[in-house]
Amino acid sequence: MPKLKIGLVLDTSLDPPDGVQQYVIGVGEWLRSQGHDVHYLVGQTEHRKLPNVHSLARNMTVWFNGNKTTIPLPTSKRKLRKLLHKEKFDILHVQTPHSPFMAQPLIRSAEKDTAVIGTFHIAAYNRLVTAGNWLLGWWLYPSLKRFDKMLSVSTAAQSFAKKTFRINSTVIPNVFDYQLYHEAKPFKRYGDDTLTILFFGRLVARKGCFVLMQAIALLNDRKDIPKFRVIICGKGAEGAKLKKFIDDKDLADLVEMTGFVDEADKPSYYASADISVFPSSGGESFGIVLLEAMASGRAAVLGGDNPGYRSVLAPREELLFDPQDITGLADKLELYLRDTKLRKDAAAWGAAYSEQFDVNVVGQKLLAVYEEALRKRRQG
């Protein structure tokens, strides 16, 4: 296959270490490792030190789908056309839903022989998000017509894209660096006979850390539970609320709050866990954190039963739980704390299962999509 010039389009900033940014960088740097010329066409980005980052718009902060994020302000169409004319991309790969203020005019200005691919990333957290995306789909209709191929990261995202944007898409899943997590070593400070329960994520309501702490309080009152600790990795709006609950319930000796964890340390935290638990109640289009936690092969990985996490854990439904049922979560944790064989079997399954989402595997599927879309466009 000839080497391609690829523009990865993301309306928001590339700076945060969130899921879509991880996807874009993971795909982009893998494509670069394969010899392709990769450019990042993004909203206001100041801290990512990567080649060919084009910061094309000023951004403003908003809350969307239960998360704090940024959206671009209107940008110069002349600036966008000048960039496209200069670079002459073979592929524009757009992360959707995209903005009418940056990505839409970029797509509509694309050269005629540039293939435009989309990847749909979200599932709804509530009805307001569904209604908002339905309206956004109408607004984006002029650029949606220009896509040569639309993908979704999961069946949950695929269904939401069909419901709100009225588009058909093909599932090609999220990606991650399997070896990075599989080869990670645990921190020595956790290398004792105390079992470790890990939460990793933003401390916001929908991610469910407060539900987990309520379950831990119940678990702590039960008799003859194997000795365990809880590590909470992340920061967010519920941090103070969680700390107060931990103090009020006398859990301070049991629970460690690390605050924000650098990307370099994340694999070792996963490798230090015996049980990794993600009680998100919704708004998840996939579940990349589940795969990262599985890859170490050391922990049983439990996920809240929402559409995105179910799309990942469907082969082992017993690893899902109702994220609103505090007692049920306490029971699930107790089961996996007590049963060493069950815990290790789930960990071994996760290590084998998650390898299929490695960027080296999924990246080849993306390249095949690029090649087919480009061939059809240039022959058509």
Side-chain angles (χ1 to χ4, degrees), residues 119-343:
T119 293
F120 203 90
H121 284 275
I122 73 166
Y125 179 49
N126 54 38
R127 291 181 181 178
L128 182 61
V129 173
T130 300
N133 272 270
W134 188 84
L135 292 171
L136 181 62
W138 281 105
W139 197 354
L140 295 177
Y141 180 72
S143 58
L144 291 174
K145 293 189 299 181
R146 178 62 176 82
F147 281 84
D148 295 277
K149 181 73 173 180
M150 185 65 77
L151 310 172
S152 290
V153 294
S154 68
T155 52
Q158 181 187 49
S159 175
F160 192 59
K162 180 67 173 178
K163 181 177 182 179
T164 58
F165 275 38
R166 301 168 298 281
I167 54 175
N168 296 314
S169 60
T170 300
V171 174
I172 292 187
N174 236 317
V175 304
F176 79 122
D177 184 344
Y178 178 82
Q179 290 302 320
L180 176 66
Y181 293 92
H182 188 63
E183 296 174 357
K185 304 299 182 185
F187 289 113
K188 290 182 180 180
R189 62 182 179 272
Y190 303 125
D192 52 22
D193 59 355
T194 300
L195 295 173
T196 298
I197 297 172
L198 176 74
F199 170 89
F200 202 112
R202 287 186 301 277
L203 305 184
V204 295
R206 78 173 180 87
K207 291 293 185 180
C209 190
F210 190 69
V211 171
L212 172 61
M213 283 299 96
Q214 291 174 289
I216 292 298
L218 292 180
L219 195 60
N220 192 47
D221 288 336
R222 297 180 182 180
K223 295 181 179 180
D224 303 321
I225 299 291
K227 188 178 179 182
F228 71 94
R229 67 168 68 86
V230 181
I231 303 173
I232 300 173
C233 296
K235 67 176 184 178
E238 289 205 329
K241 176 183 176 181
L242 285 162
K243 190 176 187 311
K244 184 178 185 304
F245 182 85
I246 290 166
D247 291 340
D248 290 347
K249 296 294 183 179
D250 295 322
L251 298 174
D253 292 339
L254 191 69
V255 181
E256 175 187 349
M257 296 183 70
T258 69
F260 177 78
V261 170
D262 188 88
E263 287 293 301
D265 290 330
K266 184 162 65 168
S268 290
Y269 274 106
Y270 285 134
S272 300
D274 298 284
I275 302 171
S276 290
V277 56
F278 303 94
S280 179
S281 58
E284 308 290 350
S285 62
F286 189 67
I288 196 69
V289 290
L290 305 177
L291 301 178
E292 292 171 348
M294 287 178 193
S296 73
R298 297 172 183 268
V301 178
L302 310 178
D305 192 358
N306 62 70
Y309 285 3
R310 175 168 280 275
S311 73
V312 174
L313 290 175
R316 294 287 292 264
E317 291 189 352
E318 72 273 15
L319 298 174
L320 293 162
F321 59 88
D322 181 349
Q324 307 294 342
D325 183 356
I326 296 166
T327 300
L329 176 53
D331 293 343
K332 179 83 73 172
L333 291 170
E334 180 177 354
L335 173 65
Y336 280 87
L337 285 170
R338 290 188 183 279
D339 194 328
T340 302
K341 183 179 183 302
L342 185 68
R343 193 170 64 246

Side-chain angles (χ1 to χ4, degrees), residues 88 91 94 261 330 346 367:
K88 299 190 182 303
I91 303 289
V94 183
V261 170
L367 274 176

